[in-house]
Amino acid sequence: RGRVPPVPRPPSSHFVPFLVRSPMGNKVFCHARVILTEDIALNVKSSNLVRDVVPIVCKWRADGAELSFDLREFQITFDVVKGVEHQFSVFDTDANGRVDAHEVMMVYILLSSGDLGKKIETVFETFEFQAHDGDVGSINFDEAMIMLESCVRGVQKVCTVDFHIAEDEVYFHCKSLFDKYKTNHDGRITRKEFCDWCQEDPSPKAFLSLFQLAQGLPDINAMVQQVNLRQSQVFQMEAQGQLFITPQELMGSEEFRRQLRKSSDWEVDTLVRLMTDESGRIGSDRFHSVLRPWNIFDACDLNGDGDLDSKEMEILLWVHMRVKPTQEFVREFVQAIDGDNSGTVDRIEWVNAIVKSHGGIEEAAFKASERTKTMNTSRRSLPASMHRHSAVEVLLAKEGHLVALDGQLVH
């Protein structure tokens, strides 16, 4: 196939010493995973690497590995059924009627569902060159640069990310790949060396994990709703047709405990106490108003340790509020509810903050946001009367989330 053109080197003043921590690493490590909100990202995420994407890559290479697609070629190559103009425009940022084939391929490979190791191999295979000595395949420095740049540019076009990785930072990581194996820039890197670097070096490993763990916001909400439904069935089973159950009945339910992932006796006891009303009973509404924030927390707790740091809290608040929070808001929120000053938020701290923030703010906010699809996120000055309310209420109101204060909706 045709060789890719040489990549221009950044000015020498932009070179980053190998032993210095890369800015890309710092940026990427500040994120737990990517939340997918755009239709094109959600469509790509629904693809399967082996079933859907690998055959596309193989056919593209067999047909000559064109470096760019026009609209029709894009539609045929990726079998786009609807919204092809919009999807094409996402990649065609300079509006010249053609899109970079490598960028699109990298997006499909990185966002599709499948084994991470297989994804890394497929990325390499997109660029590898069969050596004359029968080597299994290798890439030179220019090909490695184009590969890394295609990965970065492609996903930054399709996904909502808070960081930008510049060309000189990509050059640093390409240099680190060759330095790792003491290979000159006129030499070649093998497939095994590239795969090992991706899974051992912290920066590429973190970058790949962002998109391997990427989830669509609708998928997270659907997962929470499924758990809500199972818990509703538990309540109905225990209530046996009645409107209320007793705390003792709920505490004694093994099925209820099974629905609370890896919960301690203390956590179960705390949840039940939060559900119990002044008459000593538990109704369905209160049951769900306590468990919904618990379920959202679990959906965002990637490692299942029951604690979320600021990276994971950003996702939690995004899911809970239906609006992406600012970094400043996340920091203020964590400080407001981190009762033990650990720097992280545990499940009970989160549930307590939501349920106890002035008489059912969680339920009112959820219902209001369901009614209001377009939310005004501009920050308005808060009434003086709001000084009486909890820090959680004030923060949510400042962020533009619809909340109930003194029986009125504030936004």
Side-chain angles (χ1 to χ4, degrees), residues 83-102:
V84 60
E85 291 86 359
H86 171 69
Q87 294 191 34
F88 185 83
S89 67
V90 171
F91 291 100
D92 186 19
T93 52
D94 56 5
N96 69 350
R98 299 196 71 84
V99 298
D100 187 303
H102 293 120

Side-chain angles (χ1 to χ4, degrees), residues 115-122 177 180-181 191-209 212:
D115 177 70
L116 180 58
K118 178 63 176 176
K119 288 184 180 183
I120 297 171
E121 290 183 1
T122 306
L177 167 60
K180 176 179 174 64
Y181 298 105
R191 179 192 304 203
K192 183 179 186 308
E193 289 171 337
F194 175 75
C195 293
D196 289 347
W197 175 74
C198 286
Q199 301 201 63
E200 294 172 2
D201 188 284
S203 289
K205 182 178 180 181
F207 179 83
L208 291 168
S209 294
Q212 179 71 3

Side-chain angles (χ1 to χ4, degrees), residues 172-219:
F172 165 80
H173 287 284
C174 190
K175 182 176 181 296
S176 76
L177 167 60
F178 277 70
D179 287 351
K180 176 179 174 64
Y181 298 105
K182 297 180 174 59
T183 302
N184 294 330
H185 292 185
D186 57 358
R188 307 190 71 85
I189 291 293
T190 67
R191 179 192 304 203
K192 183 179 186 308
E193 289 171 337
F194 175 75
C195 293
D196 289 347
W197 175 74
C198 286
Q199 301 201 63
E200 294 172 2
D201 188 284
S203 289
K205 182 178 180 181
F207 179 83
L208 291 168
S209 294
L210 278 179
F211 303 100
Q212 179 71 3
L213 298 174
Q215 281 186 287
L217 204 55
D219 295 333

Side-chain angles (χ1 to χ4, degrees), residues 35-182:
I35 297 298
L36 307 177
T37 57
E38 300 296 329
D39 288 342
I40 182 172
L42 296 171
N43 288 338
V44 174
K45 185 64 178 176
S46 67
S47 302
N48 179 273
L49 176 67
V50 175
R51 183 193 65 220
D52 304 318
V53 180
V54 170
I56 291 175
V57 174
C58 292
K59 186 177 186 306
W60 169 72
R61 294 190 66 192
D63 291 344
E66 289 293 331
L67 297 180
S68 64
F69 301 123
D70 62 20
L71 179 62
R72 176 166 174 74
E73 292 167 340
F74 174 83
Q75 181 178 19
I76 293 173
T77 301
F78 299 99
D79 193 25
V80 182
V81 178
K82 62 180 181 178
V84 60
E85 291 86 359
H86 171 69
Q87 294 191 34
F88 185 83
S89 67
V90 171
F91 291 100
D92 186 19
T93 52
D94 56 5
N96 69 350
R98 299 196 71 84
V99 298
D100 187 303
H102 293 120
E103 290 180 8
V104 186
M105 292 291 178
M106 294 305 102
V107 166
Y108 269 83
I109 293 169
L110 294 179
L111 285 184
S112 62
S113 61
D115 177 70
L116 180 58
K118 178 63 176 176
K119 288 184 180 183
I120 297 171
E121 290 183 1
T122 306
V123 166
F124 186 89
E125 289 167 1
T126 306
F127 292 87
E128 73 178 341
F129 173 71
Q130 188 69 34
H132 294 297
D133 59 1
D135 192 2
V136 293
S138 60
I139 56 174
N140 62 29
F141 194 92
D142 290 333
E143 290 168 328
M145 271 292 293
I146 293 175
M147 173 168 47
L148 297 183
E149 286 182 328
S150 297
C151 290
V152 170
R153 285 200 305 262
V155 295
Q156 286 185 155
K157 288 180 178 180
V158 171
C159 302
T160 302
V161 292
D162 292 331
F163 57 86
H164 174 74
I165 300 172
E167 182 179 321
D168 59 329
E169 297 174 31
V170 177
Y171 178 86
F172 165 80
H173 287 284
C174 190
K175 182 176 181 296
S176 76
L177 167 60
F178 277 70
D179 287 351
K180 176 179 174 64
Y181 298 105
K182 297 180 174 59

